[in-house]
């Protein structure tokens, strides 16, 4: 993207489900780094009344709503991961609005740099305006174990959710930087602090790509 000296360095934070993206984002936030989260924006966009929620109900029916009229996320999640066509239909509704909102908020950041947490980042996802990609990495077996334990999902559903995402090798191929999130909390902190110093250096403009 075109930048001026006052533009913040924008780092896309991504990784497979249950790789530890939120944990890493929290570590950066504790250092004073602003974090914009695609999942948070997605929740905002479907709060009733909203055009996004209306479009979701129009496509999936009222069965994806709770009694109070809000989106039943668990039911919708089970549905979209059981059928790739359903998942793509939901992405077509939400992703353009999420990208637009994130970009508007990111370029307005007053900080030297900021993180944008984007779980479904890929080669064609439309985030060519970020400066760097930081991938949080963990082996598939670790992701699966964390997902089943954390969310109480069946192994079959957890497997289907992992299968629906970008493969580990392709995700790592997108990375400018990688955090290995299979070690101790101290090891994770060391990686975050190293990258924080690096991003502050890059944000000065002297090393911007």
């Amino acid at each position: 993207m075109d930048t001026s000296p006052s533009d913040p360095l924008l780092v896309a934070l991504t990784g497979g489900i249950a790789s530890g993206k939120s944990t890493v984002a929290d570590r950066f936030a504790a250092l004073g780094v602003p974090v914009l989260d695609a999942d948070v924006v997605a929740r905002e966009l479907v709060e009733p009344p909203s055009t996004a929620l209306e479009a979701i109900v129009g496509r999936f029916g009222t069965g994806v709503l709770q009694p109070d009229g809000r989106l039943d996320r668990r039911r919708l999640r089970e549905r979209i991961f059981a059928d790739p066509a359903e998942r793509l239909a939901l992405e077509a509704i939400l992703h353009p609005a999420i990208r637009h909102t994130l970009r508007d908020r990111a370029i307005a950041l007053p900080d030297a740099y900021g993180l944008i947490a984007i779980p479904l980042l890929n080669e064609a996802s439309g985030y060519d305006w970020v400066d760097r990609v930081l991938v949080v990495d963990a082996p598939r077996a670790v992701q699966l174990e964390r997902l089943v334990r954390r969310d109480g999902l069946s192994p079959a559903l957890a497997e289907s959710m992992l299968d629906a995402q970008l493969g580990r090798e392709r995700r790592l191929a997108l990375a400018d930087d990688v955090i290995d999130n299979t070690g101790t909390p101290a090891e994770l902190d060391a990686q975050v602090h190293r990258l924080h110093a690096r991003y502050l250096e890059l944000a000065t403009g002297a090393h911007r790509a």
Side-chain angles (χ1 to χ4, degrees):
M1 62 179 288
D2 292 333
T3 58
S4 69
S6 61
D7 289 324
L9 181 80
L10 301 178
V11 180
L13 171 66
T14 193
I17 191 168
S19 60
K21 297 182 299 296
S22 295
T23 300
V24 170
D26 289 344
R27 295 290 205 281
F28 276 98
L31 296 174
V33 180
V35 178
L36 304 176
D37 192 322
D39 286 340
V40 172
V41 170
R43 287 193 289 271
E44 293 174 3
L45 290 172
V46 299
E47 274 297 298
S50 74
T51 55
L53 183 60
E54 290 176 4
I56 290 171
V57 173
R59 173 62 175 78
F60 297 95
T62 57
V64 297
L65 294 179
Q66 302 179 75
D68 63 1
R70 285 182 163 80
L71 190 64
D72 188 327
R73 300 177 189 283
R74 188 180 185 93
R75 182 173 296 178
L76 182 61
R77 181 174 61 184
E78 291 172 351
R79 183 165 168 178
I80 65 171
F81 284 111
D83 184 343
E86 299 280 73
R87 176 173 54 83
L88 291 173
L90 179 64
E91 291 176 0
I93 292 170
L94 286 178
H95 284 195
I98 293 171
R99 285 195 301 269
H100 179 78
T101 302
L102 284 173
R103 187 177 190 280
D104 283 352
R105 295 180 183 180
I107 62 178
L109 290 173
D111 306 76
Y113 83 92
L115 290 186
I116 305 99
I118 310 169
L120 298 180
L121 185 72
N122 59 54
E123 300 95 330
S125 57
Y127 288 96
D128 53 348
W129 44 267
V130 302
D131 296 296
R132 297 183 72 81
V133 175
L134 168 58
V135 171
V136 182
D137 185 48
R140 182 184 174 98
V142 173
Q143 292 177 261
L144 181 62
E145 188 275 331
R146 289 174 178 170
L147 191 56
V148 170
R149 184 182 71 246
R150 183 190 72 188
D151 292 356
L153 303 180
S154 69
L157 178 57
E159 288 275 11
S160 68
M161 293 174 72
L162 291 176
D163 289 340
Q165 293 198 323
L166 198 67
R168 186 183 183 193
E169 289 186 3
R170 286 181 61 194
R171 187 163 45 242
L172 288 171
L174 297 174
D176 296 294
D177 308 293
V178 178
I179 283 181
D180 176 2
N181 192 24
T182 58
T184 66
E187 290 169 335
L188 179 60
D189 282 337
Q191 293 178 82
V192 168
H193 279 80
R194 176 180 58 80
L195 283 172
H196 177 58
R198 175 62 173 155
Y199 294 153
L200 287 173
E201 178 187 22
L202 289 170
T204 64
H207 303 279
R208 297 287 286 271

